[in-house]
Amino acid sequence: MHAWPGTTREALRALRAAVRPGGWVLFADGFWTVRPTSAALKGLGAEEDELVGSLDDLVRAAADAGFAPLRTTVADQREWDVFESSGRAGWGERWALENPDHPLRADARATAARHREGHLGGYRGYLGFAYLVLGV
């Protein structure tokens, strides 16, 4: 989704215009697994309408854009936890451990801590991620 400007629906329409009949597309985007709380939105730094809505809403948006939804796969909580802790918050922590004398070490650790707190104390369990295989 983030390779295209605008909303999910705008991205799907633009992508559909770029795909020839017979083509397939892998489209990935976030969705709300349940309606987010204010803590979830704050932790993510997002507004509720930034995502298309539920998984059903996401697949429906793809169909409305002219795609035939062929397969829907959703990242499970374990995958999200690995992504969030290893890739996002973990990166800053690893970098800080590897650079103990760097002047930005404290900033890197603080950024990692904010991200970890936003995830674990905010949007964990509210934000889903889907991979859609779409045909034309």
Side-chain angles (χ1 to χ4, degrees), residues 8-78:
T8 296
R9 287 181 175 83
E10 292 167 338
L12 285 163
R13 285 192 299 269
L15 188 55
R16 174 57 190 90
V19 179
R20 295 182 182 154
W24 287 20
V25 171
L26 175 62
F27 185 80
D29 198 6
F31 65 94
W32 298 119
T33 58
V34 294
R35 186 174 185 156
T37 62
S38 59
L41 293 170
K42 181 180 177 188
L44 189 58
E47 298 294 326
E48 186 172 350
D49 63 357
E50 285 183 44
L51 298 178
V52 74
S54 68
L55 178 59
D56 181 49
D57 294 331
L58 179 58
V59 174
R60 191 180 321 272
D64 290 347
F67 286 106
L70 303 173
R71 181 176 300 154
T72 302
T73 306
V74 174
D76 62 21
Q77 191 60 60
R78 181 192 159 284

Side-chain angles (χ1 to χ4, degrees), residues 11 16 25 45 61-62 76 80 88 91 96 100 115-116 122-123:
R16 174 57 190 90
V25 171
D76 62 21
W80 262 124
R88 294 178 45 104
W91 180 89
H115 181 79
R116 186 173 49 253
Y123 61 90

Side-chain angles (χ1 to χ4, degrees), residues 91-93 95-97 99-112 114:
W91 180 89
E93 294 290 9
W95 184 88
L97 289 172
N99 296 278
D101 298 321
H102 197 284
L104 295 177
R105 180 180 191 269
D107 291 339
R109 295 212 59 207
T111 298
R114 278 191 306 276

